[in-house]
Each structure stands twice: as C-alpha cells, then as structure tokens.
Amino acid sequence: VNSGRKNIMLGTAGHVDHGKSALVRLLTGCETDTLEEEKQRGLTIDLGFAPCKLGEEGIVGIVDVPGHVDFIRNMVAGAHGIDLVMFVVAADDGIMPQTLEHLQILSLMGLRHGLIALTKIDLVSEVRRSEVVADLKRLLGGTFLESAPVCPVSNVTGDGYDNFFDILQRVARSCGGRDANGIFRVYVEDVFSIRGAGTIITGIPSSGSVRLGDALELLPTRATGRVRQLQVYGKQDSEARAGECVALNLPEFDHTAVRRGMVLCAPGILDPVTMAEGELHLLNSVPAPLKDYFEAHLHVGTAATTTHVAMLDTTQMAPGSSQMVQLRFADPLALAPGDRFVLRANLPSQAGGGLATIGGGRILSTTNTRLRRHKPWTLETLARRADAIGKTETWLANLLREGARPLTLAQIARQSLVRIDDAQPMLDRLTKEQRVYHTENGSYVHREVIDSLMGKISATVEQFHATNPQRNGISKPDLLQAVRADEECFGFASRRLLDAGRIAWNGTVFSRPGWVARISGTDEQVCETLEGLFRNAGWTPPSLPELGAKVSASPGLIDRNLRLLVERGLLIQLDEKTIMHTSAIESAKTIALRLFARAPSFTTMDFRDALNVSRKYAVPLIDYLDRVRFTVRSGHNRTPGVEARKRMTAPAGASSIIGANRTTKATNPSHP
Ligand SMILES: Nc1nc2c(ncn2[C@@H]2O[C@H](COP(=O)(O)OP(=O)(O)OP(=O)(O)O)[C@@H](O)[C@H]2O)c(=O)[nH]1
Ligand SMILES: [Mg+2]
C-alpha cells in the first residue's frame, strides 16, 4: 500500500486555450477532456484527473482545470486540492485575464509550490518569448511564484519538454507529501453510479486517510455508509490518503442525493453550519472599499454558495486590506478550520463588469452564533486561531483556553478534529510543561483559565471582607456565583489557593487566612450567649422561638449572630429548623463510630436510642452525617462513609482529636 505513490496533487492553471490539457496529455498520455461537449468545443469545461509518473517520486495525481472564465467555479473546486501548480501561459497570447485571476485564486488558496510552463513557443519569435518572460516576472513578483522556474515548451513539437519534465520532478521533490494524520474528510468532486457497484464518489481528501470498510457520513445530509471498494488514481487499493485522487464505492448512498460540494467525513465529527469565522484578505484589484455585510459568491473546497460578509472589526474594507469576518451562507456547509475560501463578486465599478475574484482567506472556526463587531475578545481569539492553524498542539491549548472549562480527551479531540491517539501525546506534553492542568476527574483545563480564576477568587474574598467586615467569610455558593466559574474549575482553583495558603476554608466559609471578623460589642455578647446555649443544649438544641424567649435581643440581632456563628464554623445548620453546636455533631460522630464498632451497620432507630433523643433531632443529625459522607444510607441502614472510615482506620491516639473539631477543621479543612 502507498508504495510508489506520493500523496501530492499537481494541477494546471491559466487562461483558456493556453495549452493546459495538451501539457497534461504530454505528461500522462491521458486525454482529460472527456465530455462530448469538451471534445466538440475543444476546451475544458470540468475537472479532469490523470495519474502522472514522476521518476523517484512514483505516481502523483494531476488535476486539469478549465481556463474559460465561465468555468471558474470548476477551476476553484479543483484548485482546493492542489499542492503544486503548473502555471500555463501561452507565448503568443501572453498574460490574459484568467492568467491573473487564476494566480489570485491560487495565492488565496495558500499554494506554495509551482513552476511556469511557457507554451506555444513554436508559434513565436525569440523576441516575443523574452517579452512575455519579462511580463511574467512583473506579474509574479511578490507572489508565491516569484522565483518559480519558467520553462519554455511546445506541446506540438515537444521542444523544451525534457527540460520542463526535469524541473517538474525537481519541484515535486521539494514539495513534502501531504500530512495524512487527522480525521478523514473529502469534498465531493464528482458522483455517479455504476451498474452492479452503485454509487461512486470521487475527490481529493483534504485530510486523513480512508480504508476499505470505513463508515463515512455525508454532509450536510447526514447519510452514512461504508466504503466497499476504493480506487486511487484508477487502481483498486485498500487505503487512500489526503492529497490523492480517490474514488470510493459507497453502495448505501443514493447517488441522486449526492452533489459536488458535499463532504464525506468520519461520522459524528462535523456539523454543517451556515456561519463561519474567517480571515478575509481583499485583493488590490477591488475598485472601491466594500461595506459591511456585502454579498459575494463563496467557494470553499468543491462547494459554492452565496454569502454575506459581516465585518468584525471596522465597517468597511479598503482594497488590499484584511480583517476578521463572519461569513453567513445561503446553504449549510461542512467546513473545517484551515479551509481556504475564495470570494467572487460582481462589483458595479469593475472594469468590464461580470464576476471577478475579490478576495479570500482561511476559515478559522464555526461558532454558528452571530458575532458582533468591535469585540476585542473575539478578534484576539480569532487571531490566535489563525496563528495556530496547522500547529495542532497550539490549537489544542487554544481550545482549552477559550473553552474556560475542563474538557475530556474525547471532547478535545472531537472539537479540534484530531484523532484521540494524536491528541493524547500532545496533551501529555502540554501537561508536563504545565501549560495545561490535568484534573482529578481526568479532564484538561488551561493554566491561564485557572490562574485568572484564582485571581478572581482571592479578589472576591478580599472584596467580601471589605464590604462585610462583621462577617467571617463568603460561602461557597456565593463565591461560586460571584466568580461565575465552572464548578470543576472552581474546585481546582480554590484547592490551589488553599494549598498555597492564599485563602482559608473553615468548613463553612472562605476567608483571607487569619481573617478576624470585626463585630460590635453587642454582637459579641449575643454571640457568646448563643454559643453557650447551643453548646449546653447538645443534641437537643433550642428552636428559634425558644431562643427568642431565652436571649434578650431582637429577632434580627439573634438571626444575624446565628449566621455569624455558622460562618465561624461553631454552629452547623442541619436543616431549616435545626441548628446544632459543632461539639454536639462531633460527639454524635463518636456515637456513630461506637455503633460501627459493634455492627457493620445501624438503623435510625439504633442511632436515636444511642443518643437518647427524639426523632426530631436524630433524623436531621443522621441526614447531615450522610451529607458530609460520614455515613452512607441504604434503605433503613447506615454503613460507614469515607469520613468515618478514615477515623476507623486511624491509629490509636488519633481519637484524641475527636471533640477538638474546631482546631482540626481550621488546620485541615476537608475541601468544600
Ligand atoms: N502550436 C501550439 N499549439 C498548442 C500548444 N499547446 C496547445 N496548443 C493548442 O491550443 C489549443 C488549446 O489547447 P488546450 O490544451 O485544449 O488548452 P487548455 O489550456 O487546456 O484550454 P482550456 O482547458 O479550455 O482552458 C489546442 O488546439 C492545442 O492543440 C503548443 O505548445 N503549440
Ligand atoms: Mg483544457
């Protein structure tokens, strides 16, 4: 498999009638103009494919495109798959309109390799030839073909062909094979049906590889089917890679429901969208500035539709300028970041009128929500994505930073169109470099997300102290709401702050370490009285009405100070009506441990009897012990929870901390 093949795609480009198909015929012996109409009119209408044998490189593919302006749409569909262009210019005609337009399209497609075939040299003088070469140098200056070799050739006499072929091989050698990692995806180029085999779909895969038997999904229809037969460059094979000419036999598909521009992809990976963000570059040839939301024809892969262009930075774009835009399509497209797009439009003041290429760029993301202009975060994020295209590890790190919440390996791989096997080592590396953290739950979260959340948490705690000097700290739900963080991130960030001693947790509230609430003399007195009352009451605490009778203070004052005592961790709110002193809870835990020493489980009744209190107190108490994972409930029975088990296995002597709840909590808070 793959031996004797290099997965790069050659392509032709250039003005109509300049000898593209004739050159392909010389190179491959193949006639690519196969349609009846093509033969009659003597010109190329649709794409033609031919395998080409290059010495050391083995077989590579060639796509032959039409030069006529009416078929630019087909040209763009072919150009998306090209790695190396044979840029054809006839020496008699010289530079013509589609010479320029094809050059613009190829540049917008991000092409980097190529050579120039100066054809029809048999028809011109030496003088004319050097004149055209000089024109070409001017045209190509500053483009990716600036220093590409110019090869004079005649497709009729064969003059210059050997030199052309040598140089083509040299350029092909310098062009690395396409990366076939990543998720398999191919833009449908052609579809037809063969008797006995069924639907055949052809194209040049943009990424990944496909094997016989693979399941594929067609987008946007979401039909699925398996690959029964596979051909590469017209030969049966078991695998095809990105950058090769492939024909897939998918008998489960109805060929009448498949069109050029649809996408075949590993199932469940891509969602068709009607909006995508991109970096748009406008050509200098655009006659006047374009206004926000202008309309244009969009070409991406083999697909074409109309689109509006919502500008995300300024409200108009000058010729030659670039900016981040959101494209809003007439039809759903199955795009991936990195896809190149080309815009064509019929601009009123354009020379000659008619559709012309006006710009293009790269798809950066498919948010599928309307983005608004002048949002620094959006622009920054898009710029980061633009930087990360083609750098998978950076892309993954970006995804985590943008997501602002932990993601699992599977989520990360899916959202970035990377295979899990490829994502894993990259995440390992990012984790090792501490650019990304690995949480207890096995998710990944970006370091900057945690750092910024840690900053927010400490600032919120400080601010809480500043505005509530009489209170002991801020509860977890209040803090969580104030920083508006994902719960898992919050857990991770607060644990780091606690470990670093930058905040404290007393079991009830977060505070600055060493924070002492500043409360008034009256409050202090009420607190003392209340605490004493609850300490003495043990498992049978006073109800709120009873408190009113026992403490000479207003209900508001009592309320406030009860809250203070709860925040300090001295009292614990078991349910709406029941508050108990921590010492009572601690001794209840001791009782539970004693019961567990006798039998593996106990009932609520056993517990109540052991405490010798009514259900009114025993039930909220045992429910609370369940909540703090001291006990575990199953039916009527309680078995030891993790917290109880810690004490049961603790060495002798550890029991001395029982009853000294406050100190243990202060120094070793079990995390919220
Ligand atoms: N004399 C001469 N004629 C050529 C040469 N190359 C091509 N031709 C002729 O020019 C005509 C057009 O050639 P094609 O190869 O079909 O041109 P093309 O660029 O593929 O045209 P489109 O695909 O329609 O854009 C044909 O009649 C060819 O025989 C050449 O090097 N010398
Ligand atoms: Mg042709």
Side-chain angles (χ1 to χ4, degrees):
V1 179
N2 301 342
S3 62
R5 259 159 52 197
K6 181 170 181 177
N7 62 333
I8 56 169
M9 185 60 60
L10 274 43
T12 59
H15 196 74
V16 62
D17 246 15
H18 276 201
K20 297 181 288 301
S21 301
L23 186 60
V24 171
R25 207 157 43 231
L26 267 189
L27 271 169
T28 66
C30 292
E31 176 58 69
T32 48
D33 290 345
T34 51
L35 298 175
E36 199 49 47
E37 194 186 349
E38 290 182 321
K39 286 181 195 155
Q40 268 171 21
R41 293 174 65 181
L43 89 177
T44 307
I45 293 172
D46 208 349
L47 304 173
F49 294 89
C52 175
K53 177 135 183 41
L54 293 181
E56 289 169 31
E57 311 306 309
I59 305 286
V60 299
I62 299 187
V63 50
D64 182 35
V65 308
H68 197 285
V69 64
D70 287 354
F71 311 123
I72 286 256
R73 182 180 164 150
N74 296 338
M75 181 272 168
V76 184
H80 99 275
I82 297 181
D83 302 291
L84 188 169
V85 68
M86 299 182 285
F87 195 65
V88 174
V89 182
D92 55 346
D93 269 0
I95 292 161
M96 295 293 281
Q98 271 61 57
T99 311
L100 174 63
E101 188 166 17
H102 284 196
L103 177 66
Q104 290 170 333
I105 290 169
L106 295 168
S107 303
L108 292 168
M109 290 277 178
L111 208 66
R112 293 202 311 274
H113 305 276
L115 77 170
I116 292 100
L118 182 64
T119 56
K120 305 201 183 183
I121 49 164
D122 52 295
L123 299 181
V124 299
S125 65
E126 278 292 330
V127 176
R128 171 62 185 162
R129 201 204 283 189
S130 28
E131 203 177 278
V132 177
V133 169
D135 289 349
L136 266 173
K137 285 282 164 210
R138 267 194 301 279
L139 174 75
L140 301 177
T143 75
F144 74 99
L145 289 177
E146 178 161 30
S147 44
V150 177
C151 313
V153 62
S154 167
N155 295 320
V156 170
T157 65
D159 226 9
Y161 177 77
D162 289 344
N163 174 56
F164 169 79
F165 189 64
D166 282 348
I167 291 178
L168 175 63
Q169 295 195 79
R170 204 183 71 211
V171 177
R173 215 168 300 140
S174 72
C175 175
R178 200 91 74 85
D179 177 9
N181 284 323
I183 306 265
F184 177 74
R185 194 170 64 108
V186 59
Y187 275 100
V188 174
E189 191 275 318
D190 198 6
V191 58
F192 50 93
S193 177
I194 291 181
R195 193 187 302 247
T199 300
I200 311 283
I201 293 177
T202 66
I204 304 168
S206 320
S207 61
S209 58
V210 63
R211 301 183 66 87
L212 278 179
D214 280 357
L216 295 178
E217 183 177 29
L218 182 71
L219 296 166
T221 68
R222 293 214 180 275
T224 58
R226 285 186 184 276
V227 179
R228 198 168 66 185
Q229 296 186 73
L230 188 160
Q231 288 192 348
V232 184
Y233 306 133
K235 285 216 174 77
Q236 297 282 345
D237 213 312
S238 56
E239 187 180 23
R241 300 170 292 170
E244 296 180 323
C245 263
V246 46
L248 302 170
N249 175 210
L250 295 142
E252 286 147 283
F253 287 153
D254 167 13
H255 78 277
T256 61
V258 186
R259 312 228 179 301
R260 175 177 286 183
M262 289 183 174
V263 164
L264 274 178
C265 180
I269 300 287
L270 271 189
D271 292 316
V273 291
T274 52
M275 285 186 245
E277 295 75 60
E279 193 180 24
L280 170 64
H281 174 69
L282 276 195
L283 295 176
N284 280 316
S285 54
V286 172
L290 294 182
K291 292 210 172 58
D292 181 36
Y293 218 64
F294 72 88
E295 204 178 356
H297 289 272
L298 171 92
H299 300 263
V300 55
T302 59
T305 182
T306 53
T307 188
H308 283 280
V309 179
M311 299 177 187
L312 296 178
D313 197 354
T314 55
T315 52
Q316 66 172 33
M317 283 181 77
S321 71
S322 300
Q323 79 165 277
M324 297 299 178
V325 299
Q326 189 173 43
L327 302 166
R328 301 190 181 152
F329 318 131
D331 304 295
L333 297 174
L335 303 173
D339 279 359
R340 298 279 180 165
F341 65 90
V342 168
L343 295 184
R344 299 186 79 235
N346 193 348
L347 300 178
S349 46
Q350 219 154 239
L355 281 174
T357 297
I358 59 164
R362 285 183 305 188
I363 298 294
L364 301 175
S365 51
T366 54
T367 313
N368 227 20
T369 54
R370 280 169 180 266
L371 296 178
R372 289 194 294 159
R373 211 185 343 271
H374 305 317
K375 299 285 176 205
W377 188 86
T378 305
L379 294 171
E380 216 172 276
T381 304
L382 291 176
R384 276 219 194 91
R385 285 185 193 163
D387 274 350
I389 280 180
K391 302 175 213 155
T392 312
E393 197 169 306
T394 313
W395 186 270
L396 298 187
N398 271 356
L399 176 80
L400 285 169
R401 180 172 28 214
E402 284 169 30
R405 66 189 180 85
L407 295 174
T408 62
L409 174 62
Q411 288 170 323
I412 294 167
R414 190 186 181 282
Q415 289 180 30
S416 36
L417 307 181
V418 174
R419 287 193 304 223
I420 287 187
D421 293 351
D422 296 331
Q424 180 72 75
M426 297 186 192
L427 287 165
D428 287 348
R429 226 171 5 247
L430 288 168
T431 308
K432 205 165 150 233
E433 288 165 11
Q434 297 219 356
R435 290 167 62 194
V436 156
Y437 294 128
H438 200 187
T439 73
E440 280 170 1
N441 304 346
S443 313
Y444 296 87
V445 61
H446 199 279
R447 186 203 174 103
E448 283 176 30
V449 172
I450 295 300
D451 283 354
S452 108
L453 183 55
M454 284 167 69
K456 261 199 223 167
I457 291 174
S458 359
T460 307
V461 167
E462 284 308 321
Q463 204 199 331
F464 185 88
H465 287 324
T467 44
N468 303 279
Q470 79 290 357
R471 291 179 59 182
N472 286 284
I474 178 167
S475 73
K476 184 189 160 192
D478 289 349
L479 184 55
L480 192 55
Q481 200 185 12
V483 297
R484 279 201 242 129
D486 162 89
E487 189 136 7
E488 201 181 343
C489 279
F490 178 84
F492 196 85
S494 57
R495 203 165 307 125
R496 289 181 74 85
L497 286 167
L498 287 168
D499 290 348
R502 287 172 56 193
I503 58 170
W505 165 254
N506 71 355
T508 316
V509 290
F510 289 99
S511 65
R512 177 199 305 161
W515 165 258
V516 183
R518 266 166 266 138
I519 62 175
S520 70
T522 327
D523 281 332
E524 200 59 82
Q525 260 176 4
V526 176
C527 269
E528 233 167 76
T529 314
L530 287 171
E531 203 222 317
L533 269 172
F534 279 94
R535 185 186 290 278
N536 292 335
W539 299 317
T540 55
S543 67
L544 287 177
E546 283 163 1
L547 273 182
K550 286 186 181 166
V551 184
S552 51
S554 69
L557 201 59
I558 293 177
D559 241 29
R560 186 167 82 218
N561 287 292
L562 280 177
R563 195 180 65 198
L564 282 178
L565 288 165
V566 169
E567 284 175 2
R568 282 188 198 174
L570 290 169
L571 299 185
I572 290 175
Q573 182 109 36
L574 299 185
D575 63 20
E576 252 169 64
K577 283 182 267 175
T578 323
I579 295 175
M580 269 186 208
H581 198 274
T582 41
S583 60
I585 306 272
E586 275 311 309
S587 40
K589 285 182 182 170
T590 313
I591 299 282
L593 287 173
R594 263 186 223 145
L595 291 173
F596 286 137
R598 266 185 247 140
S601 70
F602 60 77
T603 62
T604 309
M605 189 86 99
D606 298 335
F607 186 62
R608 196 197 70 179
D609 290 347
L611 261 58
N612 194 21
V613 296
S614 74
R615 283 182 61 82
K616 180 176 145 192
Y617 301 110
V619 170
L621 197 44
I622 193 69
D623 285 348
Y624 170 79
L625 293 187
D626 289 343
R627 279 205 300 283
V628 297
R629 301 197 296 173
F630 196 83
T631 50
V632 175
R633 175 176 188 161
S634 62
H636 294 294
N637 285 316
R638 254 67 179 200
T639 53
V642 278
E643 296 303 319
R645 280 202 301 270
K646 277 185 205 161
R647 299 217 200 162
M648 291 162 78
T649 55
S655 65
S656 64
I657 62 168
I658 295 173
N661 177 48
R662 274 175 62 196
T663 34
T664 54
K665 271 205 168 154
T667 55
N668 182 21
S670 61
H671 194 264

